[in-house]
Structures are given as structure tokens and as C-alpha cells.
Amino acid sequence: MEGRFVFKIIIVGDAAVGKTSLVRGFIKERFRSDYLPTLGVDIYYKQLTVNSTPVDLSIWDIAGQKGWEIMHKNYFKGSDGCIAVFDLTRNKTLANLNSWILKVKEYTKPDIPCIILGNKSDLKIAIEVKSSNIEKITKETGYLYFETSAKTGLNVEEAFTTLVNLILAKIK
Ligand code: G3D
Ligand code: MG
């Protein structure tokens, strides 16, 4: 196959759920990022091969979070996939996930491939979120769910690779 696929992936979720840590953990090597001051966004790049298909990813991450109540349409525009993150140690971040997902659907396409990550699984004794509440949102959305830890690396690679596979499956 000639050329490469180029995908834009966005990562959403409340402040301090671990979005930046997950992206940097996935990229591993010395990462390069571009900062877009007008959007308050860091863009990370990674080349990878998934099922023998070479893919170029740009991963868009909200830099800081202040003022993000006013959502920038340009952050979402042209996205091919989405990662919605909550923090397993804070119920509120799961409660807010639905409104993040609605924004994604509103500003991208309703059928955009998306996965849900429950992050900080390493903080075992602090885990607050009930599995029944996780099941509820995964049933409602139909999105795949991964428990991750940006600290130990648990499921980080798997999550990103799965999302790329979902995107590829949709366009092939
Ligand atoms: P954000 O980009 O969603 O705002 P960050 O979140 O990636 O900046 O992470 C917020 C804080 O949570 C950071 O701590 C980071 O180290 C921590 N964190 C992120 N992921 C994990 C995880 O999986 N496990 C644990 N134990 N901590 C995590 P600091 O102290 O630097 O603010
Ligand atoms: Mg961040």
C-alpha cells in the first residue's frame, strides 16, 4: 500500500485524570510536541505499525485546563478517534465523562471511534469508582473500556493500539 494513514486522535476528560501522562507514556521516546497557543493545545506525534499498516498519529492534548469550559471546536475538528479518560479514584471524573463524550460527538461525527480509560489503577486503595457505574457508561456508549495506569504503563500501549485498529477497521 502506498503512503501512510494519518490520524488525528484527541484525548478528553477532567483536569488531572492523567491525559498528558498517558500520551507521554505511550510515546515513550523523547517526544516532540507542538504547542498551539490559540487553542491551548499540545500536539504529540507518533509513527507506528498496526497489523502491518504504517500509521502517523497526531495526538491532541489540552494543555492545562483553565478556560476549557468554553470548548474550542477546532480542537475536535477533523478527529479520527477519541480517548475519553476518567480517574478511578474520583467519582466526579466519571460523572463528567458523558458530557465530554457528547461534546466529542457534537463537534466530530456521532460514530467516531472512541475508547474509555479508567486511569490510575495502580492507586488500589484509593479507588472510588464502582464497576457498575463503569458498565453503565460502556453499555450506553458501546465503547471499549480499559483500566490503565500511566504510572506502571498498564494497558497504555494496548489502549492506543486498539483505538488505531478501530479507526482502520472503519475506513477499510
Ligand atoms: P491531565 O493531563 O489529565 O491534567 P496529568 O493529568 O497527566 O497532568 O496527571 C495529573 C497527576 O496525576 C500528575 O501528578 C500525574 O503524575 C498523576 N498521574 C497520572 N496518571 C497516573 C497514574 O496512572 N497513576 C498515578 N498514581 N498517578 C498518575 P502530579 O503530582 O505531577 O500533579
Ligand atoms: Mg494535561
Side-chain angles (χ1 to χ4, degrees):
M1 164 162 273
E2 277 197 25
R4 302 173 64 91
F5 287 105
V6 179
F7 297 139
K8 170 180 173 179
I9 289 176
I10 48 173
I11 186 157
V12 299
D14 283 1
V17 295
K19 300 181 297 298
T20 303
S21 305
L22 287 162
V23 172
R24 291 183 175 182
F26 170 60
I27 295 194
K28 279 187 226 118
E29 320 84 77
R30 261 186 60 232
F31 45 79
R32 178 166 79 84
S33 69
D34 289 334
Y35 177 61
L36 294 189
T38 47
L39 284 184
V41 164
D42 285 315
I43 307 177
Y44 296 86
Y45 303 94
K46 186 165 174 95
Q47 301 193 318
L48 73 167
T49 303
V50 178
N51 287 334
S52 20
T53 309
V55 172
D56 283 354
L57 297 184
S58 66
I59 306 168
W60 294 46
D61 178 33
I62 300 159
Q65 207 118 6
K66 288 227 168 70
W68 259 81
E69 298 76 23
I70 310 155
M71 303 300 295
H72 292 279
K73 272 190 196 168
N74 287 331
Y75 179 71
F76 300 93
K77 210 163 98 184
S79 304
D80 299 292
C82 162
I83 299 176
V85 188
F86 68 92
D87 178 344
L88 286 161
T89 70
R90 287 183 291 146
N91 277 322
K92 191 157 191 305
T93 65
L94 178 60
N96 288 338
L97 205 63
N98 214 32
S99 64
W100 280 106
I101 290 171
L102 287 176
K103 283 270 190 280
V104 171
K105 290 185 171 189
E106 181 184 349
Y107 292 135
T108 61
K109 296 156 246 152
D111 61 342
I112 182 175
C114 203
I115 57 172
I116 294 175
L117 308 186
N119 190 43
K120 306 196 187 178
S121 68
D122 59 285
L123 295 176
K124 291 199 167 43
I125 55 159
I127 288 180
E128 186 177 277
V129 171
K130 284 208 219 106
S131 355
S132 57
N133 288 331
I134 301 172
E135 277 163 29
K136 191 163 174 278
I137 191 161
T138 53
K139 273 214 183 104
E140 277 166 14
T141 56
Y143 296 155
L144 288 176
Y145 170 70
F146 293 87
E147 225 169 74
T148 58
S149 167
K151 191 169 178 187
T152 68
L154 178 80
N155 281 336
V156 176
E157 179 109 32
E158 289 80 354
F160 278 89
T161 309
T162 300
L163 179 62
V164 172
N165 265 318
L166 290 173
I167 299 170
L168 284 169
K170 197 160 162 266
I171 61 173
K172 272 184 173 168

